[in-house]
Amino acid sequence: MFFLSCEEDFPKNMESDKYTVLKSIKILNAGVEGNTVVEGTVDEVSKKVSFPRIDPETDVSAIRFEVELSDGAKLDRETYSFNFAEGVDANTIVVKVINEPRFREYFVELRLNIPLFGADFNKPQIIDHTNNELGNPIYPVFTGSTTRGSGFDGQHVLIVTRNAMGSHLLDVKDLRNGEINPIPLNLTGVTGGTFSVNLGAQVHGHTYIANLSAGLVSPLKIYHWTDPSQEPQVIANINKATIAGAGARHGDNLSVNVDENGNGHIYFGDNAVTQILRLKVTNFTEISEPTILGTQKGLGGFMNINRIGDSDQYLLTGHEAPIMVTNADAEVVYKMDNTSIPIRASDPRVVYFNGERYLLTVTAARGGSDPVVMYVYDITRGGSITEALEIFEAGSKSPVFQYSLLGPVNASPSTQTGWNVTKDEEGNDDKLVLYGASNDAGFVMVEFPKKSLDD
């Protein structure tokens, strides 16, 4: 009996003295004049090469390196091109070290020392009092549809509630420290209407609360505080029967648009969507010129209309209508597509921070599949707001930030948003705080730092 065996002919490792190690590297032609030398760092384990950020005026289409290599080795090119897309501050290419027949690849990254704009949405600090299990328990009065109104001005959160706890303020400093210390509003004289309190707004340190008024003779009232311990001013006590064309029920929605001097407008859309009631505001407390405006299909009983910065344009929407750009008379000049963002997007606001512009909304749970989510969209590009929305709708339409409040479906999904910017010692934008709340969902504040270079 004979046994035969054979060996498979596997490739064998060949010894060679042709090494391909990148020992050191410098850029020779950085800077606007092309004569700045910048030394890099080589990580031989990861094969990554990094440099300090370079002048954005550098000719990145023809970067020249000075290198120390293994004996006999050389780079595969004399110059290298780094193509930076618009708005991108870093790019990585592959550079080969060749020593025939061997070669080794290194990943070389260049970063530009360019100014950064906007908020860093990757670094949120979340103060949550919603149904979301990631935060604190839901704020206790946001149950049973007893709390349909809230407000935010960066210093205080306003809670407007029919709960026995009573309407009150919360200090934002306390909330940041994990403390809940309600500041009761003096509700002396707060009476009348279908419900004496329903919605409110917190604007430049001024507190506004409106009642719910069903029926023409039921008074529509607005109360005002600057000191929560004092009795409120009744700045509006309106018999709607005296206003030609007024709808039957107001107070399911409230949009307070006043500037730092207290001048602007307050808007109510009636529940049956037949008209919008606009009131002129002067010096925060003087109410005049009640005016009936036309309305738009789909606004529903929970419409919002918010002024865009200090312009003469507004964002108008409702639970079954897309966001529209209007003037102060609620006349539409631009309408977004129904599917560009969720149709339930409510209380939309244009947010300005550190050279960028965003669209902030919180969706309302009107139907069985509707979530309650804070969405932030980047709408920086474009000269005007209409151009910005056109560019946005032509793009990916993806949010730059979103956070779920996990609100249940309810018949009265009144929803609020707000925002505030804090400044550094030099008066520059430093931190952006966004606010969102919804009936039976609770409220959340999310703080973002401005974007900064990582070295």
Side-chain angles (χ1 to χ4, degrees):
M1 184 178 292
F2 296 93
F3 294 93
L4 298 176
S5 65
C6 62
E7 295 182 356
E8 292 190 42
D9 190 16
F10 290 113
K12 295 182 179 180
N13 184 42
M14 302 296 292
E15 295 294 331
S16 173
D17 59 357
K18 303 294 186 180
Y19 296 109
T20 54
V21 177
L22 175 59
K23 299 178 180 179
S24 67
I25 186 169
K26 297 177 181 177
I27 298 174
L28 295 180
N29 62 330
V32 64
E33 301 294 335
N35 56 6
T36 301
V37 177
V38 181
E39 187 168 355
T41 301
V42 180
D43 185 332
E44 186 60 36
V45 176
S46 65
K47 302 298 183 290
K48 292 182 178 179
V49 178
S50 59
F51 291 92
R53 291 184 180 270
I54 64 174
D55 191 319
E57 297 298 320
T58 299
D59 181 5
V60 294
S61 67
I63 293 292
R64 291 185 290 112
F65 294 122
E66 178 181 274
V67 294
E68 181 184 0
L69 305 171
S70 302
D71 290 343
K74 63 179 182 179
L75 296 181
D76 62 330
R77 300 178 194 172
E78 292 186 2
T79 64
Y80 295 86
S81 178
F82 290 77
N83 296 316
F84 288 83
E86 182 180 354
V88 175
D89 68 321
N91 189 21
T92 300
I93 67 169
V94 175
V95 172
K96 288 185 179 182
V97 176
I98 299 173
N99 201 352
E100 297 290 356
R102 291 182 166 185
F103 70 89
R104 182 175 298 186
E105 295 179 334
Y106 289 87
F107 301 97
V108 180
E109 181 185 48
L110 286 193
R111 296 172 299 161
L112 303 179
N113 189 19
I114 59 176
L116 298 181
F117 300 97
D120 191 340
F121 291 104
N122 294 314
K123 298 177 181 178
Q125 297 292 320
I126 301 172
I127 302 172
D128 175 281
H129 291 276
T130 75
N131 286 314
N132 193 319
E133 64 273 8
L134 297 178
N136 299 300
I138 186 173
Y139 195 68
V141 300
F142 277 86
T143 58
S145 284
T146 58
T147 302
R148 303 186 184 188
S150 71
F152 173 78
D153 66 355
Q155 306 303 313
H156 291 93
V157 171
L158 167 66
I159 304 296
V160 183
T161 183
R162 304 172 195 163
N163 184 279
M165 185 177 184
S167 298
H168 55 276
L169 298 172
L170 297 170
D171 194 311
V172 169
K173 292 180 182 177
D174 290 342
L175 293 172
R176 284 196 176 104
N177 292 328
E179 301 174 2
I180 300 292
N181 297 306
I183 304 169
L185 289 169
N186 186 329
L187 299 176
T188 301
V190 178
T191 60
T194 308
F195 290 103
S196 59
V197 301
N198 200 51
L199 291 184
Q202 186 70 20
V203 185
H204 306 306
H206 293 252
T207 302
Y208 296 90
I209 290 181
N211 68 349
L212 179 63
S213 169
L216 289 177
V217 295
S218 176
L220 176 61
K221 288 187 174 183
I222 304 174
Y223 304 92
H224 170 266
W225 292 259
T226 53
D227 181 347
S229 67
Q230 299 297 310
E231 293 184 21
Q233 294 174 269
V234 182
I235 62 174
N237 186 354
I238 300 171
N239 178 354
K240 292 173 294 179
T242 64
I243 304 174
R249 173 167 161 158
H250 295 81
D252 290 294
N253 59 80
L254 169 69
S255 298
V256 178
N257 295 276
V258 295
D259 60 22
E260 293 181 352
N261 297 314
N263 302 319
H265 295 99
I266 292 176
Y267 294 85
F268 295 91
D270 81 317
N271 184 272
V273 198
T274 64
Q275 52 81 55
I276 296 172
L277 171 62
R278 185 185 69 192
L279 305 174
K280 182 179 178 180
V281 185
T282 306
N283 195 29
F284 289 107
T285 60
E286 299 171 22
I287 303 295
S288 62
E289 300 181 18
T291 304
I292 298 300
L293 306 175
T295 190
Q296 298 294 324
K297 181 180 179 181
L299 290 182
F302 302 93
M303 58 146 274
N304 308 103
I305 180 168
N306 294 316
R307 190 178 180 188
I308 301 170
D310 58 0
S311 74
D312 59 356
Q313 292 187 312
Y314 294 72
L315 293 184
L316 170 67
T317 194
H319 291 166
E320 298 177 5
I323 292 175
M324 293 164 266
V325 180
T326 77
N327 59 18
D329 295 327
E331 296 170 336
V332 176
V333 298
Y334 181 86
K335 181 184 291 188
M336 293 182 69
D337 188 84
N338 282 15
T339 60
S340 290
I341 65 174
I343 195 68
R344 305 297 193 204
S346 300
D347 208 19
R349 297 182 191 271
V350 176
V351 175
Y352 297 90
F353 178 72
N354 191 29
E356 290 192 342
R357 177 175 55 197
Y358 309 110
L359 174 63
L360 166 67
T361 74
V362 174
T363 53
R366 188 66 165 170
S369 61
D370 296 330
V372 180
V373 178
M374 173 187 286
Y375 287 107
V376 184
Y377 303 93
D378 189 338
I379 55 169
T380 300
R381 296 176 60 197
S384 66
I385 190 64
T386 54
E387 183 182 7
L389 293 176
E390 287 174 348
I391 293 171
F392 170 78
E393 291 192 279
S396 68
K397 300 181 283 292
S398 299
V400 293
F401 179 79
Q402 60 188 64
Y403 185 82
S404 177
L405 283 66
L406 293 178
V409 173
N410 62 73
S412 305
S414 182
T415 300
Q416 296 86 44
T417 62
W419 62 284
N420 182 256
V421 174
T422 59
K423 306 282 188 176
D424 60 22
E425 295 179 353
E426 298 177 351
N428 300 313
D429 288 358
D430 188 44
K431 293 181 180 179
L432 171 65
V433 183
L434 303 180
Y435 174 85
S438 190
N439 180 20
D440 287 353
F443 73 88
V444 64
M445 298 188 304
V446 189
E447 182 176 274
F448 305 93
K450 63 183 178 183
K451 289 179 185 174
S452 60
L453 298 175
D454 52 11
D455 62 9

